[in-house]
Amino acid sequence: MASSKLQALWNHPAGPKTIHFWAPTFKWGITVANVADFTKPPEKLSYPQQIAVTCTGIIWSRYSLVVKPKNWNLFSVNVAMAGTGLYQLSRKIWHDQNPESQEVVA
Amino acid sequence: MAAFRTFWNSPVGPKTTHFWGPIANFSFVIAGVADTQKPPDMISGNMTAVMCGYSGLFMRFAWVVQPRNYLLMACHASNETVQLYQLSRLASAHGYLPKKEEPAKK
């Protein structure tokens, strides 16, 4: 029955009554913020920050599977973070490797 | 020597992801500290504000997760501090914070 499935989710040890739900859910904000920054010019991107986002995403994808309770929400958010970090890094690296794109300086 | 051995073999020690997850998250702190030396127009308001919320929530997460993770908690306390500082630099650059005295030089 649908209601018992919903109840199971509601009462899950990593469910919405716990920090195990809300901390990862809020962490999606990092990915959303990074996606919003896709339109930022690459000169304004920060290498340290994007490397941090990428490496954290990769390592935490593993961490989220070995803590108790096992946390698929945390896993998915870190996979997404690593993805956006890699994209931002590729944008900035491409920009830095292609000097002809930098001829207009404000 | 015994203390090192205890640390080395700890269930949250360097042979486990419970150690490396938080170490990876320290990259946010390092990136944040590196970015304090850059001009405020490079600060991403989106990302910094999200980091403040994220580290606040994850301090709680680190406390209640199994196994309890003090290193993670310390990491997020540090990140909260540096991100709040960056947010204050951004706010100040946009004129949101009152200046204590008249600027001596422009």
Side-chain angles (χ1 to χ4, degrees), chain A residues 41-62:
Chain A
E43 312 86 64
K44 294 275 170 88
L45 294 176
S46 160
Y47 268 127
Q49 192 175 69
Q50 293 302 329
I51 291 170
V53 166
T54 304
C55 292
T56 290
I58 294 169
I59 296 178
W60 273 74
S61 302
R62 163 72 182 153

Side-chain angles (χ1 to χ4, degrees), chain A residues 14-99:
Chain A
K17 292 194 269 187
T18 73
I19 188 76
H20 302 285
F21 177 85
W22 291 106
T25 300
F26 194 85
K27 198 167 183 178
W28 277 101
I30 295 180
T31 301
V32 168
N34 222 11
V35 169
D37 285 351
F38 280 177
T39 55
K40 251 182 140 188
E43 312 86 64
K44 294 275 170 88
L45 294 176
S46 160
Y47 268 127
Q49 192 175 69
Q50 293 302 329
I51 291 170
V53 166
T54 304
C55 292
T56 290
I58 294 169
I59 296 178
W60 273 74
S61 302
R62 163 72 182 153
Y63 179 91
S64 59
L65 298 178
V66 301
V67 288
K68 290 187 180 47
K70 188 182 253 191
N71 203 321
W72 292 104
N73 192 7
L74 191 58
F75 175 76
S76 57
V77 70
N78 280 290
V79 168
M81 261 179 72
T84 63
L86 281 167
Y87 177 65
Q88 291 283 59
L89 278 174
S90 70
R91 280 181 68 218
K92 191 162 169 77
I93 291 170
W94 186 94
H95 176 83
D96 290 347
Q97 297 299 318
N98 290 282

Side-chain angles (χ1 to χ4, degrees), chain B residues 26-27 30 50 59 62-63 65-67 70 73 76-77 90:
Chain B
F26 265 106
S27 64
I30 294 165
V50 164
M59 282 192 268
W63 189 256
V65 75
Q66 295 290 337
Y70 295 106
M73 191 168 170
H76 281 295
L90 184 66

